[in-house]
Amino acid sequence: MKHQNDKEYLSGTIERITYHNADNGFCVIRVKVKGHKDLVTVTGNVPSVSAGEYIKCSGIWHNDRNHGKQFKADFLKSLPPETLEGIERYLGSGLIKGIGAHFAKRLVSAFGDKVFEVIENKPNLLSTVEGIGKIRAQSICSNWQDQKIIREIMVFLQSHGVGTTRATRIYKTYGEKAIEVVSQNPYQLAKDIRGIGFVSADTIAGNLGIAKDSLVRARAGVAHVLLEATSDGHCGLPQEILVQNSAKLLEIEKDLIELAIAEEIKLKSLVTDTLNNINTIFLASYYVYEKNIAKILLNLAKSPVSWDKTDTATIIPLVEKELNISLAESQKVAIEKALDNRLMVITGGPGTGKTTLVNSLLKTLAAKKLNIKLCAPTGRAAKRLSESTGLEATTIHRLLEIDPAYGGFKRNEESPLSCDYLVIDETSMVDVPLFYSLLKALPLHSALLLVGDVDQLPSVGAGQVLKDIISSKVISTVQLTEIFRQAATSNIITNAHRVNHGILPNMQITREESDFYFVEAEHGDDIINKIITMVKDRIPKRFNLNPIQDIQLLCPMQRGGAGARSLNIELQKVLNPNHTNGIVKFGQIFAVGDKIMQTENNYDKEVYNGDIGIIKAINEQDQEIIINFYNRDVNYDYTDLDQITLAYATTIHKSQGSEYPAVIIPITMQSYMMLRRNLIYTAITRGKKLVVIIGQKKALAMAVKDTTSSHRYSKLREWLVA
């Protein structure tokens, strides 16, 4: 047994980094140590590390059964390299954008051990090296300075007990003032930077001496609890629940929390009002959004249409002839209703004729020479809308024209959209802030048509816009329920409706031509092996589908063996032979050919949450990758890669608004916390040609029988019926 005084010391040059976890700093590195014939494996913790650096560490030797002899360091410090070989390896490691192995060799040949000093103080000399022009020289110097600051931030955060994955994002947000801002108000991090939560900010605050029972901490905690509630779809929380949740998080007296709430209300960042006769605290912005949404919608509903009344008895036969269809009586009544109302809702499940109805209505309106605009919340949904109508459709964000320089949208009440009639598809996905932005940009004379399936999952963001509008019963609504004959032959559609009515899908389907199957599998290796076989071999061969582009795994959860994260790793191994040549960033391997998903809106790149693309190229020297989204190439810096994730598998929530040729839905008891009827219904309705549910019958039955949908604290319905 080793004692403290048995500690040994080791130093040498890092030859290779086997593993480095940016969250906690843990690393496994291979080090060239004087006196050792072979490279030494060192494990320890360090904020950042690069090949070529010189390390000093202390610790003990340990024999690992799987990996052999290792040096376990309890103290590890990395220093800039001093030898020419180390400097070349350091510069060529990819640490500095613009310098790969090729230019590292040239720079060391030109400037020797003075190369760092040249980059720092004499950047004009860089362009004297063959192949390095002024632009590359400027890029090298700029990235060198960025790395210095980022490393300082990493060390600062690490010293205060916080992981360093988000250090680059902190620098992008605050620049050189990052440490100053964090030191003055660490809670600002939780507000400004995605991925830095309240707990991390609170850790820094504690280390900086901010008292646990300080009012500034209580106020920050209350704001955090409400902001977290928006992630669960709430626009506010009953005061009692807010106090309880804040007390649990902060571990302080409830009186102090009440005082913090009062202070935030006084500063108008929070609003107090009743919801279902219960005192509720709202984030001020969401309170205003919902109140103004109701005001605009009620004004729309009361206003007359801007076009001449139509003789539907004459126009509908002409539309039927042009589209070569025969409308049902319910659809004809819906068209008449839509032509009489400035604001209209059309809702219904798959196979109930929503698309036919919308197309017929648009043909009728087009005859009136109206300027019609179509939009949807996601790129995939907009593409589907465009394909089904034959008209141009865009995402809501693109329609409103994002203003990357100042945030927000260019289209608003001062600069409204140019349209006479606006159609929003997949409205169930639209959250309160986005819907308010859209209504603000609607011209005073324009009409609005909301289309969606109210039985699907609500929006990922706060609110339940479509549900509140329909349940208010003050807005003209057509609810389609009849399944048309052609759709009734699809097992996908019939089983989706069975699930929606609380009936288990037909799991005895065995005929060759079916588009719906249930495959029984147990949790663990059984379900994973069956999924891999289906994706890699059985479905592509039997249905002639591409395993990467056409088949989508839709999981109830991210975590767990049958969750999206785990399945992505397994499917990447079998579907992308390039995965062994990929780069490791933010805990994931990314390789050419990988299917990925954008996980947040990036207005500069015009890529939005839920967009799916394929990695086309990786440039290690310039630290960039090119991703193709819907036939458009987009450049990503390595530091942007925390915005993307592998997408061979994704969550059902993330699939909203999308359709795929084939979907596989793993359902096991491990996901019991997430199993809801509307979750399974949403997943089934994502499949166009094939749906396979794989897993345990017990878990599927639990989901289908569950009638509780997550309750959301939203005041829109109350505003509408007031």
Side-chain angles (χ1 to χ4, degrees):
M1 182 177 179
K2 288 275 183 184
H3 296 281
Q4 188 66 26
N5 55 6
D6 292 327
K7 189 180 288 187
E8 295 188 36
Y9 297 87
L10 199 73
S11 60
T13 304
I14 299 172
E15 289 288 312
R16 188 166 70 248
I17 299 157
T18 305
Y19 175 79
H20 183 242
N21 184 327
D23 269 331
N24 55 27
F26 178 75
C27 64
V28 180
I29 52 179
R30 301 278 282 162
V31 182
K32 189 176 183 180
V33 180
K34 193 174 181 180
H36 288 259
K37 182 181 176 184
D38 298 321
L39 295 178
V40 173
T41 299
V42 176
T43 66
N45 290 73
V46 66
S48 62
V49 65
S50 295
E53 286 182 321
Y54 190 78
I55 63 154
K56 291 183 177 180
C57 55
S58 62
I60 59 171
W61 289 98
H62 165 71
N63 191 48
D64 186 278
R65 285 186 177 183
N66 296 317
H67 305 291
K69 196 175 182 183
Q70 299 179 342
F71 189 80
K72 288 181 71 173
D74 55 21
F75 167 81
L76 197 160
K77 185 176 182 180
S78 60
L79 302 165
E82 294 178 352
T83 67
L84 293 181
E85 183 185 357
I87 291 169
E88 184 179 323
R89 185 176 293 275
Y90 179 75
L91 288 174
S93 68
L95 177 73
I96 310 300
K97 187 176 176 181
I99 305 179
H102 175 69
F103 284 114
K105 193 176 192 69
R106 288 191 178 184
L107 285 167
V108 172
S109 295
F111 306 114
D113 60 3
K114 304 293 183 187
V115 66
F116 296 151
E117 185 184 332
V118 169
I119 295 172
E120 184 108 22
N121 302 314
K122 302 173 183 176
N124 56 306
L125 292 179
L126 292 177
S127 53
T128 63
V129 176
E130 185 184 351
I132 298 181
K134 286 186 177 180
I135 293 174
R136 185 178 290 275
Q138 288 171 358
S139 174
I140 289 170
C141 294
S142 173
N143 287 308
W144 174 266
Q145 291 302 323
D146 287 351
Q147 279 299 324
K148 278 184 66 179
I149 295 167
I150 289 166
R151 285 197 161 212
E152 285 177 22
I153 294 168
M154 285 179 173
V155 172
F156 174 78
L157 290 173
Q158 191 83 9
S159 68
H160 290 91
V162 179
T164 54
T165 299
R166 307 301 176 202
T168 304
R169 190 173 283 268
I170 292 172
Y171 171 63
K172 279 186 174 182
T173 305
Y174 302 125
E176 294 183 10
K177 293 185 177 180
I179 293 175
E180 180 187 336
V181 171
V182 173
S183 300
Q184 288 177 355
N185 183 10
Y187 295 109
Q188 197 66 34
L189 284 174
K191 290 182 180 180
D192 295 343
I193 300 171
R194 187 185 68 86
I196 301 286
F198 175 82
V199 175
S200 298
D202 199 36
T203 302
I204 297 176
N207 288 329
L208 290 172
I210 295 176
K212 194 173 182 179
D213 61 352
S214 65
L215 187 58
V216 66
R217 180 172 181 266
R219 286 170 54 191
V222 165
H224 168 73
V225 169
L226 275 173
L227 200 60
E228 283 290 291
T230 64
S231 301
D232 294 326
H234 306 299
C235 295
L237 286 176
Q239 184 158 349
E240 188 179 342
I241 293 176
L242 176 58
V243 171
Q244 285 175 355
N245 291 355
S246 300
K248 186 178 178 182
L249 171 74
L250 300 169
E251 299 178 333
I252 59 176
E253 294 296 322
K254 290 183 179 180
D255 288 349
L256 183 56
I257 293 167
E258 296 277 8
L259 179 60
I261 292 170
E263 284 290 314
E264 292 294 300
I265 290 171
K266 196 183 294 181
L267 291 168
K268 298 183 178 180
S269 59
L270 302 182
V271 174
T272 179
D273 199 348
T274 59
L275 180 61
N276 298 323
N277 298 316
I278 297 171
N279 190 40
T280 305
I281 308 298
F282 296 88
L283 287 167
S285 55
Y286 285 86
Y287 184 81
V288 171
Y289 295 155
E290 290 202 302
K291 189 175 183 178
N292 287 341
I293 285 170
K295 184 180 176 182
I296 296 169
L297 290 179
L298 290 172
N299 283 340
L300 262 176
K302 292 171 188 173
S303 303
V305 296
S306 61
W307 53 82
D308 296 332
K309 295 290 182 180
T310 302
D311 179 9
T312 50
T314 304
I315 196 74
I316 286 177
L318 296 176
V319 170
E320 288 179 314
K321 186 177 180 181
E322 187 176 349
L323 296 176
N324 193 25
I325 57 171
S326 180
L327 291 168
E329 284 305 311
S330 59
Q331 292 175 315
K332 293 176 183 178
V333 171
I335 291 174
E336 287 183 28
K337 206 171 181 180
L339 292 170
D340 285 339
N341 288 278
R342 283 265 311 270
L343 175 60
M344 174 84 172
V345 176
I346 296 175
T347 186
T352 58
K354 284 200 307 292
T355 300
T356 302
L357 175 54
V358 170
N359 283 345
S360 303
L361 179 59
L362 292 177
K363 282 290 179 188
T364 307
L365 292 167
K368 296 179 177 297
K369 308 297 182 185
L370 297 179
N371 180 4
I372 301 169
K373 289 273 198 299
L374 283 70
C375 64
T378 66
R380 278 180 167 264
K383 187 180 178 187
R384 280 175 47 217
L385 181 60
S386 185
E387 288 168 351
S388 66
T389 61
L391 301 172
E392 183 186 0
T394 67
T395 63
I396 297 172
H397 290 87
R398 193 179 290 268
L399 180 72
L400 293 177
E401 297 177 28
I402 282 290
D403 188 347
Y406 299 99
F409 300 104
K410 293 178 183 177
R411 293 293 181 177
N412 49 41
E413 57 267 66
E414 293 174 2
S415 178
L417 296 166
S418 173
C419 67
D420 304 312
Y421 199 93
L422 178 64
V423 179
I424 308 175
D425 198 15
E426 298 285 358
T427 310
S428 62
M429 291 181 63
V430 183
D431 62 21
V432 162
L434 185 59
F435 193 60
Y436 177 53
S437 295
L438 195 54
L439 290 183
K440 280 197 302 179
L442 196 69
L444 293 175
H445 68 279
S446 181
L448 178 64
L449 175 65
L450 307 177
V451 183
D453 185 347
V454 75
D455 293 318
Q456 284 186 23
L457 289 167
S459 58
V460 175
Q464 46 190 14
V465 171
L466 187 63
K467 183 179 179 181
D468 282 347
I469 290 172
I470 293 172
S471 63
S472 74
K473 297 184 179 176
V474 299
I475 306 299
S476 183
T477 300
V478 170
Q479 188 140 15
L480 302 171
T481 55
E482 178 189 351
I483 303 176
F484 287 92
R485 193 179 300 118
Q486 188 176 353
T489 62
S490 164
N491 286 309
I492 293 174
I493 289 173
T494 54
N495 279 321
H497 284 279
R498 283 173 69 101
V499 167
N500 201 31
H501 289 96
I503 305 167
L504 274 171
N506 181 0
M507 295 186 279
Q508 305 305 317
I509 300 167
T510 55
R511 70 178 195 271
E512 290 291 316
E513 68 275 16
S514 179
D515 57 5
F516 184 98
Y517 296 91
F518 175 81
V519 176
E520 196 155 7
E522 289 305 310
H523 178 69
D525 289 344
D526 185 37
I527 191 169
I528 292 170
N529 291 337
K530 283 178 178 175
I531 286 171
I532 289 171
T533 301
M534 273 193 281
V535 174
K536 188 169 182 283
D537 300 314
R538 290 181 63 185
I539 293 175
K541 287 175 184 174
R542 184 164 171 182
F543 296 93
N544 194 29
L545 295 173
N546 183 294
I548 294 177
Q549 294 177 351
D550 297 334
I551 304 171
Q552 186 63 53
L553 266 287
L554 300 181
C555 309
M557 298 172 65
Q558 285 280 8
R559 298 184 299 277
R565 286 176 189 161
S566 174
L567 287 171
N568 268 321
I569 293 168
E570 298 299 328
L571 289 170
Q572 184 189 43
K573 289 176 187 174
V574 297
L575 295 179
N576 188 359
N578 293 321
H579 80 275
T580 53
N581 299 319
I583 57 167
V584 180
K585 294 293 170 185
F586 301 103
Q588 293 186 93
I589 297 172
F590 296 111
V592 172
D594 270 333
K595 180 181 184 180
I596 63 89
M597 177 183 283
Q598 178 78 13
T599 58
E600 62 179 274
N601 291 333
N602 188 317
Y603 303 124
D604 292 325
K605 299 182 190 297
E606 293 189 355
V607 183
Y608 304 110
N609 192 353
D611 283 354
I612 287 180
I614 301 290
I615 296 178
K616 191 174 172 181
I618 296 177
N619 184 331
E620 290 197 50
Q621 181 165 292
D622 290 337
Q623 296 185 21
E624 288 181 342
I625 72 172
I626 298 172
I627 303 175
N628 186 269
F629 289 97
Y630 315 124
N631 299 318
R632 184 173 72 94
D633 288 346
V634 182
N635 278 39
Y636 279 70
D637 191 89
Y638 277 8
T639 59
D640 295 327
L641 298 187
D642 61 341
Q643 297 178 22
I644 66 170
T645 187
L646 294 175
Y648 300 100
T650 187
T651 62
I652 297 167
H653 281 85
K654 283 284 187 186
S655 75
Q656 285 177 265
S658 299
E659 277 188 348
Y660 313 92
V663 300
I664 301 173
I665 310 163
I667 304 291
T668 68
M669 290 303 295
Q670 190 185 42
S671 307
Y672 77 95
M673 290 288 288
M674 294 293 294
L675 297 180
R676 299 285 184 273
R677 183 183 297 174
N678 60 355
L679 187 84
I680 306 302
Y681 173 73
T682 300
I684 292 173
T685 56
R686 301 308 91 206
K688 288 165 65 178
K689 297 179 181 177
L690 176 68
V691 170
V692 179
I693 296 180
I694 180 169
Q696 298 163 317
K697 286 181 181 177
K698 181 182 176 183
L700 179 59
M702 178 187 286
V704 172
K705 289 174 184 174
D706 185 276
T707 55
T708 61
S709 56
S710 301
H711 176 72
R712 294 189 168 198
Y713 294 105
S714 161
K715 198 172 169 67
L716 178 57
R717 183 184 172 279
E718 283 194 9
W719 288 120
L720 287 168
V721 299

